[in-house]
Amino acid sequence: MLLVGLCPAMNERNKTMQTLPYEKFTLLGNFGHSLRSPAYVFQPKGAEEILSVFKLAKESGLTINLRGAGKSYNDAALNSGGIVLDLQQMNRITSWDPGSGTVTVEPSVTICQLWQHVLPDGWWPPVVSGTMTTTLGGCLAANVHGKNNFREGPIGEHVTEFTTLLPTGAEVVCSPKKNGDLFRAMISGMGMLGVFTSITLQMKRVASGQLKVLALPTRTLAEQLQIIEDRAPQHDYVVGWLDCITIGHGQIHAADYLTEGEDPSPQKTLQVSYQTLPDRLFGVVPKNILHYFMTPFVNNLGWWAVNNAKYIASLRRHTMTQSHAQFHFLLDYVPNWELSYGRGGLIEYQSFLPKETALAAWTEMLNLAKKRGLPSYLGVTKRHRPDDFLLTHAVDGFSLATDFKVTDGNRARLYQLMQDFDRIVLDAGGRFYFAKNSETTVGSAKRYLGEETVAKFRALKKRCDPSGVLESDLYRRVFGV
Ligand SMILES: Cc1cc2nc3c(=O)[nH]c(=O)nc-3n(C[C@H](O)[C@H](O)[C@H](O)COP(=O)(O)OP(=O)(O)OC[C@H]3O[C@@H](n4cnc5c(N)ncnc54)[C@H](O)[C@@H]3O)c2cc1C
């Protein structure tokens, strides 16, 4: 039971911890601080050093997992008792063509580095996660989606080429046409087939550093899903905030790029200085201490009050302009906000449901959570469309991401709730996301991915990593090795 353990069960191969230098042994965590996991951490600067760690792993009989910024909510970037290759030193933008918008990066360039590099030339990354602290390698491995998934698909659809270093020592160049099977499996494959060492992406042209944002209140979940469905074809981005305690109050933000001529001073708004989120609230309170003030509200009563206040403040339909960074990276406004969840941290559960079944399934799930006294404190809804990556999480429908506080007293009950959620989602034809959910079991993964997909993934794994060096806590949990 992943939520419960300080250090999730180590597999047989990772039990020989004493064979590597002690000073490399480090306690790592997940983004939500609900897990702790010891591993030997190496920080390679390039392919040569990665190869030498592959060799070391084979000699010591340990497995290796890859880690970008470690922002996955779950155990994706952990490898209990094994080796973790922290790739953050491979963080150079190696080429940028402002004429065509094509950029080539090392894997641990962050979304922040990327947009800051390309925006002054009038480009923006076509797909970004809700935080700019993630790395491109981590984003490709999970195949992240943005608030425009219904329009632009996942990040993988904007990758023109990548180079991967396989555990066999082979360096392989992949594109949608060249080694296409590996291209579609490594993107979404959660780092289990090889290491992205170089990534080339196509950026999106923008005429301004601003977006036009329409804010609409919603009273019920049904209304929220209907508005998202109706609005998506008309806008570049659509995202909903859902109060999971009242199960319905909420707000939708629909945003559009400005067209040529709409922004009177694009030279100014395209500058990084215009975009940057202020580091002080009201120009006074340093934002990096704000999470301490949030902590007293992170409980059922406190969050009920916060949600109601937020709903009352959002009752008025209105439009505004926001910078790209303000709109996309709301979760970066309060640095380290996850610490406000306290010692046990938080987990996120994101389910993806077909548009026909979403309303009934989420109504059942949110009511169940409330009945058990375990309501989610944050709900975020998005519109999605399917894609053809091997371990895809997307559907023609919606996703709902929900955050839950973990405490010593509720871990076992939360685990049970997540299992009940999985059953409801699977019965409704839904899917899960390997970068978020902490409790997906072998059986659930097989049911949503399908036997054929799992067999294809295993065959590729055998081809790229015949001795099974690449493993993570997530991989052992969902593929049962
Ligand atoms: C506040 C917040 C908001 C988020 N919003 C969104 C969102 O809007 N949409 C969304 O889709 N996701 C979102 N996420 C999830 C996040 O985008 C993913 O978990 C992403 O994978 C994290 O990137 P990372 O660099 O931290 O990767 P890590 O967490 O370090 O690693 C993730 C996976 O990538 C693999 N990996 C890392 N580097 C490489 C490499 N070079 N080659 C091969 N594999 C590699 C690892 O093995 C691991 O399996 C959010 C997360 C947070 C914390």
Side-chain angles (χ1 to χ4, degrees):
M1 189 189 303
L2 187 62
L3 274 173
V4 177
L6 172 73
C7 162
M10 292 179 196
N11 70 345
E12 283 306 309
R13 289 175 62 183
N14 283 347
K15 279 183 183 163
T16 50
M17 283 189 229
Q18 59 281 18
T19 54
L20 295 184
Y22 183 70
E23 64 275 12
K24 298 276 180 201
F25 204 53
T26 310
L27 194 60
L28 297 172
N30 57 331
F31 169 74
H33 301 286
S34 60
L35 297 168
R36 305 279 184 281
S37 159
Y40 292 98
V41 178
F42 289 83
Q43 297 181 306
K45 292 193 185 72
E48 281 298 307
E49 290 183 25
I50 297 175
L51 282 173
S52 61
V53 180
F54 278 153
K55 191 163 165 271
L56 196 65
K58 279 178 194 154
E59 285 163 7
S60 58
L62 294 179
T63 62
I64 299 178
N65 188 19
L66 314 173
R67 187 170 169 102
K71 299 289 173 179
S72 293
Y73 277 86
N74 59 6
D75 49 352
L78 304 178
N79 187 20
S80 300
I83 295 172
V84 166
L85 268 182
D86 174 345
L87 298 160
Q88 284 183 101
Q89 295 202 32
M90 295 175 68
N91 64 356
R92 287 176 311 134
I93 296 175
T94 47
S95 98
W96 166 234
D97 177 359
S100 65
T102 308
V103 65
T104 300
V105 300
E106 289 186 333
S108 288
V109 163
T110 60
I111 295 278
C112 175
Q113 277 176 275
L114 181 62
W115 75 255
Q116 295 198 349
H117 198 82
V118 303
L119 187 66
D121 293 322
W123 300 88
W124 181 257
V127 173
V128 294
S129 51
T131 170
M132 58 173 123
T133 55
T134 52
T135 67
L136 267 310
C139 287
L140 259 63
N143 204 11
V144 302
H145 56 266
K147 300 169 179 70
N148 53 357
N149 188 259
F150 56 92
R151 190 173 284 283
E152 298 285 351
I155 195 164
E157 292 190 11
H158 306 275
V159 175
T160 52
E161 188 177 282
F162 64 73
T163 304
T164 175
L165 185 59
L166 303 180
T168 55
E171 253 193 354
V172 184
V173 176
C174 299
S175 73
K177 295 216 171 103
K178 195 170 172 187
N179 298 309
D181 58 344
L182 193 52
F183 181 85
R184 279 179 291 277
M186 272 206 62
I187 296 177
S188 76
M190 300 307 289
M192 289 299 101
L193 300 174
V195 188
F196 297 112
T197 49
S198 172
I199 300 166
T200 302
L201 297 128
Q202 176 60 49
M203 298 292 103
K204 189 171 179 70
R205 228 329 152 210
V206 289
S208 163
Q210 294 178 317
L211 292 167
K212 283 175 290 192
V213 185
L214 169 65
L216 300 162
T218 65
R219 285 158 304 174
T220 63
L221 176 57
E223 188 184 24
Q224 173 147 149
L225 296 183
Q226 192 58 54
I227 294 179
I228 293 179
E229 179 65 8
D230 296 342
R231 286 276 162 187
Q234 306 167 39
H235 295 281
D236 293 315
Y237 299 96
V238 178
V239 62
W241 159 69
L242 182 73
D243 173 354
C244 297
I245 300 178
T246 60
I247 313 183
H249 290 170
Q251 188 181 40
I252 285 168
H253 280 174
D256 292 302
Y257 296 114
L258 270 62
T259 50
E260 206 74 50
E262 271 190 285
D263 180 354
S265 41
Q267 309 81 347
K268 181 175 151 207
T269 62
L270 289 169
Q271 293 311 309
V272 172
S273 55
Y274 179 84
Q275 300 286 321
T276 308
L277 307 176
D279 57 5
R280 285 178 183 263
L281 188 70
F282 308 124
V284 183
V285 187
K287 283 215 198 147
N288 57 7
I289 62 163
L290 270 185
H291 66 88
Y292 293 113
F293 296 98
M294 289 166 63
T295 304
F297 293 95
V298 185
N299 53 58
N300 291 0
L301 184 64
W303 214 261
W304 172 85
V306 169
N307 279 352
N308 277 302
K310 182 168 158 57
Y311 180 60
I312 290 163
S314 64
L315 273 173
R316 193 176 52 84
R317 177 192 161 117
H318 61 283
T319 51
M320 57 192 157
T321 51
Q322 281 190 323
S323 73
H324 293 281
Q326 270 179 315
F327 176 77
H328 286 290
F329 308 123
L330 189 67
L331 290 167
D332 292 339
Y333 274 49
V334 181
N336 303 321
W337 58 267
E338 69 282 4
L339 295 176
S340 67
Y341 276 73
R343 210 169 54 84
L346 80 148
I347 54 163
E348 182 157 291
Y349 184 94
Q350 188 172 19
S351 47
F352 294 72
L353 283 162
K355 53 186 187 305
E356 297 76 17
T357 59
L359 177 60
W362 285 329
T363 305
E364 185 182 352
M365 286 157 62
L366 295 174
N367 275 316
L368 189 65
K370 250 174 96 167
K371 196 167 132 207
R372 296 197 186 161
L374 296 168
S376 160
Y377 293 158
L378 179 70
V380 176
T381 49
K382 288 180 191 152
R383 180 75 171 94
H384 297 266
R385 66 154 165 82
D387 58 68
D388 65 357
F389 292 92
L390 190 61
L391 302 185
T392 179
H393 51 270
V395 293
D396 180 8
F398 305 97
S399 71
L400 171 63
T402 45
D403 287 0
F404 294 88
K405 178 173 175 159
V406 182
T407 65
D408 290 341
N410 77 6
R411 281 169 197 262
R413 287 185 302 126
L414 256 186
Y415 175 76
Q416 188 51 53
L417 184 69
M418 299 301 120
Q419 297 308 316
D420 293 332
F421 277 7
D422 277 9
R423 183 185 41 76
I424 298 168
V425 171
L426 289 168
D427 288 348
R431 304 178 80 87
F432 308 112
Y433 187 17
F434 286 147
K436 300 270 181 90
N437 296 18
S438 302
E439 298 297 325
T440 315
T441 59
V442 176
S444 298
K446 199 183 266 181
R447 218 178 125 191
Y448 94 79
L449 290 170
E451 301 268 357
E452 197 186 323
T453 299
V454 173
K456 260 190 202 164
F457 187 71
R458 284 193 193 283
L460 271 169
K461 174 88 176 154
K462 216 167 177 181
R463 192 175 100 200
C464 299
D465 181 18
S467 43
V469 168
L470 291 174
E471 275 191 13
S472 62
D473 287 348
L474 168 82
Y475 179 69
R476 288 188 280 276
R477 172 164 61 84
V478 297
F479 285 96
V481 286

